[in-house]
Structure formats: structure tokens, C-alpha cells
Amino acid sequence: MQTGRVLGTATATVKHPSMEGWKLLVVQPYGPDGHTPDGDPILAVDALGAGTGEVVIVSSDGKGTQQLLRSETTPVRWSVIGIVD
């Protein structure tokens, strides 16, 4: 798990069937200090309704994401699991 700031949303006209109906967020991960950007932005599936500018907790737990999307073949790696107040 790590924190990051939502930069915006992403749309795709063609995507894997497991991604149909899911909101896709572009998230800039933060380093260990929780404030410094760390690496390139990632694409995460959002089931919580986070918006641009919010700080979120993302997880790269593949099994958890497979269960969330109800697909063992989903290419999605990241999912939003919390919104930081």
C-alpha cells in the first residue's frame, strides 16, 4: 500500500472487459514521507469515488484487485482502497 494524489481520470474506448463500468484514476504515488512524488503516475481502479486533488491509499495486491473486479484475468494491478481525510 502507498499514498498518492489523484491527478485526474482516464478514459479508454477499448479496454479489458473486467474494466467495464469502473472509474479509472491517474494517481501520483508519494514517497515514504507521504508528500514527495515518487516515480511515474499509475492508473488505479476506483470504487470509492475519489476525485481530482484528493490523497488516496492505493494497493497493488493482485488478488484483491481480481476479487474487486470479479476477474482472474484482469490486467489491472492498482486499486484505490482508501481516501485520506
Side-chain angles (χ1 to χ4, degrees):
M1 291 186 302
Q2 72 185 91
T3 59
R5 181 165 307 276
V6 178
L7 301 178
T9 59
T11 57
T13 55
V14 178
K15 54 188 167 186
H16 191 272
S18 67
M19 299 166 68
E20 289 295 327
W22 289 96
K23 183 177 177 184
L24 303 175
L25 298 179
V26 179
V27 178
Q28 174 61 62
Y30 285 151
D33 66 2
H35 294 74
T36 306
D38 183 24
D40 294 326
I42 58 172
L43 189 65
V45 169
D46 176 33
L48 302 178
T52 301
E54 290 190 288
V55 176
V56 295
I57 302 169
V58 292
S59 172
S60 65
D61 175 21
K63 283 291 182 189
T65 302
Q66 287 176 357
Q67 289 175 351
L68 176 67
L69 300 180
R70 294 184 176 99
S71 172
E72 292 184 8
T73 60
T74 185
V76 179
R77 177 176 177 191
W78 294 93
S79 59
V80 175
I81 60 170
I83 300 174
V84 178
D85 285 339

